[in-house]
């Protein structure tokens, strides 16, 4: 980087402006420590940046930002749309203090009809769309997906089992007995009839439930006239289930087939954005977000920044309904359409059904922000009480809580949860597979040493000067004086001695409420049973315990379900599926001879010998 210039603030920016041209692009403002303060885009860099060179007429937020600016960086682009996309990428990557930041961005689940099998499976899906099939979504939450899947199973009786389980079945499972599956695995339904049911399920997810209901009624009447009373009864049950689904759904706008409804409410410098997902004339749930407002941004800036960051990793629908107008509406439409591959319209409705949808989302945003602010005030009181109870210099901004989980040393994992003024910071949770080969099974001290070493060695490497908020203000350790002493020694060996740590021991009779707290150089202490700080620490410890146990159970389940076919060189997903479909189980594959293996499609002589050698060399 260049040597620090003599100029600062407005004079510095004016000096940069004198060397800029009128190209579109992105600019960055940096402070004395060369940290990025702000990232912005411009149709005309010279004209946009010159606004900051004016000595007056700025909001308090912009004035502070200008006064802290010591450097600027510029990237030119071919178009303003490219500048917008680059701006949002840089904001998500650099997280500048004065930009609006979407802190709790997440992926949303979809429903997948997996068509890689003759009898398609229906299931929940997240992530990249690598599987051949039809995707429907997004849904606001896993719960919304599960409700819809539950309806689909009742109405269309599609399978939800894996291909391996499907191939291994010799008789119908419980899903068939409770009329949630048509049992294609054992031939209870033909491939053609199952395919028609899959097509009906697709039409339902596309919002064509009324047409399906009419067709089912006609089929029921025909079956009844043909004296096929059992089939007629089954169709009657499907119609009844479909009617129940239609009655149980919430907001079902008839004039809006596909849209995201995005409403913003701001109060006291905080913001809540509520997003409702409408697909196929049905509401597929809603989700609230609490973006960081960049020390006081206006509504239009907050909403525009939210749209750019929210749809950075998601496909925009054909219609986005907003509660407030944004400045660069045409530009945002063009950028989102380019990424989605179809036309995207952004509108701020004033009347009619669309305006009612926005008003409903706005009401939810207002209520959600009210609850959030109330919770934040209570959280701030707890953190102040925690600081007073343990003599901390200030209320902690980041608390890290550590715990280990194992069964007699097997499948050992270490877990860390994080909490702060906004409550649990779940995006910051971490887990570690304990790798120490020399550890004695069940050695909690050794496990904790490995976890703390790996955690803080990485922190020291990535942020030795503690410029980011990744460093904790307080460590809570599940354990007594021994664990605290061990952690202190580990931290001291790495040169980290200024982070307070507290051990939480079960206390007398391991009774809830009698916890003892251990600190370096201090006598054990306890808190009154009714103290809110005690309840808060119990919640933190229990959350760490839940997180560590969940990680351990997942690791144990994965080990229990490990398929030996995964370890054979040259056996990928396709060949593994073919082997399981042919033999029914990995155990049957292990007993097969080379001649039997050659009967499986896709298994050559060399591959058959490799499989046979893999199992027989172990015997």
């Amino acid at each position: 980087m260049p040597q620090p210039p003599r100029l600062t603030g407005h004079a510095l920016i004016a000096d940069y402006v004198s060397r800029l041209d009128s190209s579109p692009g992105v600019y960055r403002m940096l402070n004395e420590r060369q940290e990025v303060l702000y990232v912005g885009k411009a149709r005309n860099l010279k004209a946009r940046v010159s606004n900051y060179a004016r000595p007056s007429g700025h909001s308090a937020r912009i004035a502070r930002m200008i006064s802290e600016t010591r450097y600027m960086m510029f990237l030119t682009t071919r178009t303003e749309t490219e500048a917008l996309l680059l701006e949002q990428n840089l904001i998500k990557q650099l997280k500048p203090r004065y930009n609006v930041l979407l802190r709790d961005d997440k992926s949303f689940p979809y429903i997948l009809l997996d068509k890689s099998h003759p009898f398609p499976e229906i299931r929940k899906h997240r992530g990249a769309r690598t599987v051949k099939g039809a995707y429907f979504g997004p849904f606001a939450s896993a719960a919304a997906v599960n409700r819809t899947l539950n309806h689909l199973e009742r109405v269309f009786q599609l399978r939800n089992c894996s291909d391996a389980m499907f191939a291994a079945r010799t008789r119908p499972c419980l899903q068939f007995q409770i009329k949630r599956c048509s049992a294609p695995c054992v031939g209870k339904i033909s491939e053609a009839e199952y395919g028609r049911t899959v097509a009906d399920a697709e039409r339902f997810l596309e919002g064509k439930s009324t047409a399906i209901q009419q067709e089912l009624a006609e089929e029921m009447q025909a079956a009844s006239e043909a004296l096929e009373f059992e089939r007629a009864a089954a169709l009657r049950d499907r119609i009844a289930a479909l009617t129940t689904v239609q009655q149980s759904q919430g907001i079902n706008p008839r004039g809006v087939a596909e849209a995201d409804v995005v409403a913003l409410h701001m109060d006291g410098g905080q913001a809540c954005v509520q997003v409702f997902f409408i697909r196929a004339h049905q509401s597929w749930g809603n989700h609230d977000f609490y973006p960081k407002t960049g020390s006081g941004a206006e509504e239009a800036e907050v909403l525009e920044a939210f749209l750019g960051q929210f749809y950075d990793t998601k496909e925009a629908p054909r219609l986005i309904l907003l509660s407030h107008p944004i400045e660069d509406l045409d530009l945002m439409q063009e950028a989102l359409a380019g990424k989605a591959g179809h036309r995207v319209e952004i509108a701020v409705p004033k009347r009619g059904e669309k305006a009612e949808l926005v008003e409903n989302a706005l009401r939810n945003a207002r209520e959600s922000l009210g609850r959030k602010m109330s919770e934040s005030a209570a959280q701030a009181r707890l953190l102040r009480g925690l600081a007073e109870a343990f003599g901390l210099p200030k209320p902690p901004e980041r608390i890290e809580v550590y715990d280990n989980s194992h069964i007699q040393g097997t499948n050992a994992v270490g877990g860390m949860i994080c909490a702060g003024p906004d409550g649990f910071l779940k995006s910051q949770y971490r887990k570690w597979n304990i790798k120490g080969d020399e550890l004695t099974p069940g050695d909690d001290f050794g496990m904790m040493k490995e976890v703390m070493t790996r955690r803080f060695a990485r922190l020291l490497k990535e942020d030795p000067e503690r410029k980011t908020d990744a460093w904790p203000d307080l460590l809570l350790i599940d354990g007594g004086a021994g664990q605290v002493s061990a952690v202190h020694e580990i931290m001291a060996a790495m040169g980290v001695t200024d982070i307070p740590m507290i051990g939480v021991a079960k206390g007398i009779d391991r009774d809830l409420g009698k916890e003892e707290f251990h600190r370096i150089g201090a006598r054990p202490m306890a808190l009154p049973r009714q103290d809110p700080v005690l309840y808060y620490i119990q919640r933190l410890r229990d959350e760490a315990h839940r997180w560590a146990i969940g990680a351990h159970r997942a690791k144990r389940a994965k080990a229990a379900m490990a398929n030996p076919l995964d370890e054979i060189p040259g056996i990928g997903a396709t060949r593994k599926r073919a082997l399981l479909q042919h033999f029914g189980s990995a155990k049957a594959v292990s007993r097969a001879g080379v001649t039997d293996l050659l009967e499986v499609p896709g298994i050559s002589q060399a591959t058959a010998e490799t499989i046979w050698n893999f199992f027989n060399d172990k015997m």
Side-chain angles (χ1 to χ4, degrees), residues 64-187:
R64 286 197 306 272
M65 180 182 73
I66 293 172
S67 68
E68 294 178 32
T69 300
R70 297 295 181 271
Y71 307 96
M72 292 192 72
M73 298 177 64
F74 305 92
L75 284 171
T76 59
T77 58
R78 291 180 302 172
T79 65
E80 190 182 3
T81 302
E82 288 183 6
L84 173 64
L85 297 175
L86 178 58
E87 176 199 34
Q88 299 305 328
N89 287 334
L90 288 174
I91 289 173
K92 295 187 76 171
Q93 176 186 343
L94 301 173
K95 297 180 173 56
R97 185 194 317 167
Y98 288 99
N99 278 101
V100 176
L101 302 177
L102 180 54
R103 295 177 293 182
D104 46 3
D105 193 12
K106 60 175 283 185
S107 65
F108 290 94
Y110 284 72
I111 285 178
L112 167 63
L113 271 169
D114 183 350
K115 297 185 178 180
S116 61
H117 191 279
F119 293 94
E121 168 196 358
I122 189 167
R123 66 174 186 267
K124 180 170 61 181
H125 175 84
R126 285 186 191 267
R129 302 186 184 187
T130 56
V131 180
K132 177 185 176 183
Y135 294 83
F136 301 92
F139 288 80
S141 64
V145 172
N146 292 336
R147 282 195 302 271
T148 304
L149 286 174
N150 184 47
H151 294 327
L152 291 169
E153 289 172 5
R154 290 171 56 200
V155 176
F156 302 106
Q157 300 183 8
L158 302 181
R159 74 178 183 96
N160 61 7
C161 57
S162 66
D163 291 351
M165 184 178 291
F166 181 95
R169 296 299 306 182
T170 57
R171 59 181 181 178
C173 66
L174 181 62
Q175 287 288 96
F176 174 76
Q177 306 297 335
I178 62 175
K179 298 182 180 180
R180 294 291 183 95
C181 179
S182 52
C185 54
V186 292

Side-chain angles (χ1 to χ4, degrees), residues 342-377:
H342 57 71
R343 183 174 180 269
V344 175
E345 178 188 355
I346 301 176
V348 184
K350 300 299 182 183
R351 62 181 65 85
E353 185 180 37
K354 294 177 182 178
E356 292 176 4
L357 292 172
V358 171
E359 180 57 36
N360 178 61
L362 192 57
R363 183 178 64 254
N364 278 270
R366 185 165 52 247
E367 294 172 354
S368 296
L369 184 59
R371 289 192 297 269
K372 179 76 171 178
M373 293 175 71
S374 176
E375 292 168 2
S376 296

